Amino acid sequence: MRSSKWQPFKKCRQGIITVAVIFFVLQILNSLLYVYLLETSSKVVLCKGYGHVYEEDNDVNNTNLESVNYFQLQVNRKTALILGHFRQNKSYLTIGIPTVWRHGVSYLDGTLSSLIKNTHENEREEIVLAIYLADQNQTWIRKTAYRLKHKYSNHLKSGFMQVFHYRENLFPDFKSLPRTFNDTQDRVEWRSKQNIDYAFMFMYCKNISYYYMQLEDDVEATPDYFANMKFFVSNANLQKEWFCLEFSNLGFLGKLVRSSDLQEIANFLLMFYWDQPADNLFNYLKQIKTQFTDIKRRPSLFQHKGVISSLAGKHQFLQDSSARRSFSRKRFYNLNPQADVSTNIETFEDHTPEKAYDLSDDYFWGMSPKMGDQYLINFINQENITRLYIGFGLPQRPNDIFYNCDVKISQNCRDWSIIGKANGNSFDTDDQKIHLPTNVKCIILNITANQSNWVVIREISVFRKGDIVIENPSHSSNKNFDKVQFVAQELRNRMQHNPIYAQQMQKMHFNAMQFQEEIFRKTGGRKNKPFQGMPAVQQRFPAANNFRQANQFADQFRRNFNRIPRNRMMNIQSKKKKYH
């Protein structure tokens, strides 16, 4: 009787032992395969003819030289360094930022500003921003280095920032690489060079600090990202062994590793640089290192904001859904004709007039325009324009628009003709059925009356014949985007000037929230959330204090409710039905 009772447990124990043995054997095979690939990698690359092997220069100081046997990159930190200097003591974190030329836009300054302003001065002593100028255009390299030298001189002197470049042209012949993943030849060349650039950057950053994190040149950091990251790393060190920690959900962005592992990661990328993208190769290496699950920090600490890719002709609107976003993207991303953009409206901080005209997500911000002020677009050549779109205001600043403004065009910048009025959140010649003349040389926004409100020109898009419209999907999905913004603005104005109307809106909001909570209690679902609309009412009106308390009570109820197991909740509901 006892033997039959314990027989299922014996079978279960035998099964667990069998699974453990299989898992252990697979780990040994993985390790042996990795060692074999490391030993034979130079033969593989040389037989296929995709890489070049270079002899080590005996004159180079061995302490500054790391080399790889199969695709031998010689990384001399002293000769690679363009700006900045090395600190005497080892830092806590190195943030690697590769950057290349992009058609019509540069995101690097915005990324650096975000990383700087969201750290404290004492934290910068523990961080090194390693900026790799990875483009082969020497003119662009010199201009970028000159700009960085003058803009960030203090950070370069303190060792917080380093700028380096791979001077020698030792790249393989990318034209001969085979196509994989059904990618075009251009994309294969692009991602193969990217893998080599990553490997060079890893070898340069090796042992500068204890940890290394990979970023791109088109991201935005969240406030206190370093403190949050440091806290997450300390907790991960206490809990279990890890190879990689992730602070973003997108691609190769936000990956953190120990600096002691950088040489090994570089070796692996160089071994298969033509086969797959870097994020795929990194995931394979992570599994070889026996980390089979992602260790991610939620919410993410970095948000991707770039649209114009470093791959020519590629536009990406990827966003990390768990990361904070403080910028507002434009509606169109067509490259405008070359023009000189100027204004006599007083400009606020660095929101200069050309930022509304370029492809960045920045904007022009002017202070209280006066009658006679102008915003001028002077084309280098005469242009045949088929459409003109101008967006004003921001979601968080819907009142920063022109209230009395004429839109004029000219073929010689002397004789002007009015084509419409830019009063509202947008001006679009397509919506207003405005026919534009040929050979336009200048466009001007002329203010006809004083206004106390500031003005934001969010974007200016000039379309010519044959241009392909590149529209932000989040805007194209809502064709009445600007109208929705205008209605929201009218609603805010009405609440601000009419207390009775505001109280009615508060009551409607409270009833809607109660109704949503009642549904949530009856269904027992975990995905239902209480009504969270109208935050402006809570912030602007003192009478909404009781409403805020009700909303907080609803949030507390939802958190407590989510702790109840679902099977137990179903039992509670069935008992209620019986008693009713």
Side-chain angles (χ1 to χ4, degrees):
M1 189 71 180
R2 288 184 179 179
S3 60
S4 61
K5 179 180 179 181
W6 294 101
Q7 189 172 3
F9 295 98
K10 290 182 180 179
K11 291 182 178 180
C12 181
R13 184 179 62 183
Q14 291 174 357
I16 293 174
I17 294 173
T18 304
V19 171
V21 171
I22 294 174
F23 179 78
F24 182 71
V25 171
L26 288 175
Q27 297 308 312
I28 294 176
L29 291 176
N30 272 337
S31 302
L32 293 175
L33 177 62
Y34 180 67
V35 172
Y36 172 76
L37 290 174
L38 283 178
E39 292 177 351
T40 61
S41 56
S42 59
K43 297 180 182 179
V44 173
V45 176
L46 286 174
C47 289
K48 290 195 173 183
Y50 298 141
H52 304 280
V53 175
Y54 299 92
E55 295 181 358
E56 182 176 344
D57 188 359
N58 295 325
D59 296 332
V60 179
N61 187 356
N62 289 330
T63 58
N64 296 317
L65 179 67
E66 296 94 18
S67 60
V68 185
N69 293 328
Y70 29 90
F71 185 89
Q72 193 164 11
L73 288 175
Q74 296 187 352
V75 181
N76 189 320
R77 291 196 183 101
K78 290 183 178 179
T79 59
L81 185 66
I82 299 176
L83 300 172
H85 66 87
F86 299 101
R87 288 171 172 166
Q88 294 182 353
N89 299 324
K90 207 171 185 179
S91 302
Y92 180 85
L93 175 69
T94 299
I95 300 177
I97 307 173
T99 182
V100 296
W101 175 84
R102 296 174 190 254
H103 191 52
V105 67
S106 174
Y107 299 110
L108 179 61
D109 287 327
T111 299
L112 295 178
S113 298
S114 173
L115 292 171
I116 293 169
K117 74 180 182 181
N118 288 313
T119 52
H120 302 289
E121 188 172 353
N122 60 332
E123 292 177 334
R124 295 176 197 141
E125 298 176 359
E126 302 182 70
I127 306 173
V128 175
L129 299 183
I131 305 163
Y132 174 33
L133 305 183
D135 204 283
Q136 296 302 300
N137 185 336
Q138 295 302 316
T139 303
W140 179 85
I141 295 290
R142 286 192 294 270
K143 289 182 178 179
T144 305
Y146 180 82
R147 188 182 75 250
L148 294 175
K149 179 181 179 180
H150 289 81
K151 190 171 182 178
Y152 304 104
S153 58
N154 293 334
H155 297 305
L156 291 167
K157 290 177 183 178
S158 67
F160 173 62
M161 192 178 292
Q162 297 179 17
V163 181
F164 62 99
H165 173 58
Y166 186 30
R167 286 184 170 87
E168 307 202 18
N169 188 15
L170 301 179
F171 291 104
D173 180 16
F174 293 115
K175 299 291 183 183
S176 63
L177 299 180
R179 291 175 56 190
T180 57
F181 284 94
N182 201 27
D183 285 342
T184 62
Q185 192 64 34
D186 289 340
R187 186 175 178 84
V188 171
E189 295 175 18
W190 170 73
R191 60 175 170 79
S192 299
K193 181 184 179 300
Q194 193 177 58
N195 283 339
I196 297 176
D197 286 335
Y198 285 145
F200 174 82
M201 187 167 58
F202 296 157
M203 294 165 69
Y204 176 90
C205 295
K206 176 184 175 183
N207 293 330
I208 292 179
S209 61
Y210 294 102
Y211 298 100
Y212 173 88
M213 182 164 60
Q214 175 65 30
L215 287 186
E216 300 297 336
D217 62 349
D218 56 351
V219 302
E220 182 183 68
T222 59
D224 297 322
Y225 69 90
F226 179 70
N228 292 326
M229 183 217 68
K230 201 171 180 180
F231 179 76
F232 188 83
V233 171
S234 61
N235 284 341
N237 288 333
L238 293 175
Q239 292 178 4
K240 55 183 175 180
E241 288 294 325
W242 55 271
F243 173 70
C244 170
L245 304 178
E246 301 182 28
F247 297 91
S248 173
N249 292 323
L250 301 178
F252 208 28
L253 180 66
K255 300 290 190 292
L256 184 138
V257 296
R258 296 179 178 88
S259 292
S260 56
D261 293 329
L262 287 177
Q263 183 67 54
E264 196 170 11
I265 299 172
N267 295 354
F268 196 78
L269 290 180
L270 291 173
M271 193 184 307
F272 306 105
Y273 71 92
W274 69 89
D275 285 317
Q276 297 195 29
D279 50 346
N280 286 7
L281 294 175
F282 187 79
N283 287 332
Y284 295 148
L285 181 59
K286 186 168 64 174
Q287 294 185 16
I288 291 174
K289 289 291 188 178
T290 67
Q291 181 180 325
F292 299 102
T293 58
D294 297 333
I295 306 175
K296 292 185 179 181
R297 198 266 186 191
R298 300 290 178 86
S300 300
L301 297 181
F302 303 95
Q303 179 62 274
H304 177 262
K305 67 177 183 178
V307 173
I308 309 301
S309 173
S310 56
L311 176 61
K314 180 184 176 184
H315 299 83
Q316 52 187 8
F317 296 93
L318 293 175
Q319 291 250 288
D320 193 331
S321 59
S322 70
R324 171 182 173 271
R325 189 182 82 171
S326 63
F327 59 92
S328 177
R329 280 188 165 166
K330 296 181 177 179
R331 179 176 176 182
F332 298 104
Y333 284 89
N334 293 72
L335 186 64
N336 287 329
Q338 291 186 348
D340 294 325
V341 183
S342 60
T343 184
N344 57 357
I345 303 173
E346 188 177 357
T347 303
F348 178 68
E349 293 183 349
D350 60 343
H351 297 282
T352 51
E354 66 273 5
K355 291 185 176 178
Y357 191 76
D358 62 22
L359 291 176
S360 68
D361 286 312
D362 211 335
Y363 49 87
F364 167 69
W365 200 358
M367 303 166 64
S368 301
K370 302 176 181 60
M371 185 174 66
D373 285 351
Q374 296 177 340
Y375 183 98
L376 175 65
I377 303 171
N378 188 351
F379 298 113
I380 303 299
N381 303 309
Q382 289 184 330
E383 302 290 347
N384 293 323
I385 301 174
T386 58
R387 181 183 181 184
L388 174 64
Y389 175 84
I390 308 175
F392 302 100
L394 294 171
Q396 63 271 27
R397 295 187 176 274
N399 294 325
D400 287 1
I401 60 176
F402 284 127
Y403 292 92
N404 296 280
C405 178
D406 292 336
V407 182
K408 300 180 180 180
I409 61 173
S410 173
Q411 295 175 323
N412 53 17
C413 298
R414 292 186 301 273
D415 304 321
W416 299 92
S417 58
I418 300 176
I419 61 172
K421 292 187 177 295
N423 304 330
N425 290 88
S426 67
F427 174 83
D428 192 349
T429 56
D430 270 15
D431 288 349
Q432 301 183 28
K433 309 297 182 184
I434 297 173
H435 178 72
L436 298 171
T438 58
N439 301 324
V440 175
K441 187 67 170 64
C442 291
I443 299 174
I444 196 169
L445 304 180
N446 186 44
I447 289 81
T448 58
N450 295 341
Q451 69 177 56
S452 58
N453 282 38
W454 291 15
V455 63
V456 169
I457 302 181
R458 187 174 65 250
E459 65 174 298
I460 299 175
S461 295
V462 178
F463 298 91
R464 294 167 291 182
K465 187 176 181 180
D467 284 352
I468 300 174
V469 178
I470 303 171
E471 189 170 4
N472 188 343
S474 63
H475 286 217
S476 60
S477 62
N478 184 359
K479 297 181 179 180
N480 297 320
F481 176 78
D482 297 306
K483 294 180 181 179
V484 170
Q485 277 195 326
F486 183 74
V487 171
Q489 174 194 338
E490 291 294 323
L491 182 61
R492 293 188 190 96
N493 292 338
R494 193 179 299 178
M495 287 191 298
Q496 193 169 7
H497 295 96
N498 191 340
I500 298 176
Y501 184 77
Q503 291 177 2
Q504 292 176 352
M505 293 301 295
Q506 293 174 29
K507 186 176 180 181
M508 290 172 58
H509 178 91
F510 184 71
N511 292 337
M513 186 191 67
Q514 282 188 324
F515 177 72
Q516 186 79 1
E517 281 299 320
E518 185 66 23
I519 294 175
F520 181 79
R521 284 194 294 269
K522 289 184 177 180
T523 57
R526 297 191 179 201
K527 294 183 179 180
N528 297 326
K529 296 181 179 180
F531 189 74
Q532 296 289 340
M534 303 290 291
V537 178
Q538 303 176 29
Q539 297 174 1
R540 295 190 182 185
F541 302 101
N545 286 333
N546 57 345
F547 166 73
R548 185 187 294 110
Q549 293 172 2
N551 206 357
Q552 289 175 353
F553 171 77
D555 289 342
Q556 183 64 36
F557 173 81
R558 189 175 75 255
R559 286 193 292 269
N560 294 336
F561 187 85
N562 283 337
R563 295 192 183 103
I564 303 176
R566 186 164 182 83
N567 56 354
R568 183 182 169 193
M569 190 63 214
M570 298 300 292
N571 293 335
I572 294 173
Q573 290 179 353
S574 62
K575 290 180 180 178
K576 285 184 178 180
K577 291 180 181 178
K578 290 180 182 179
Y579 291 120
H580 285 302

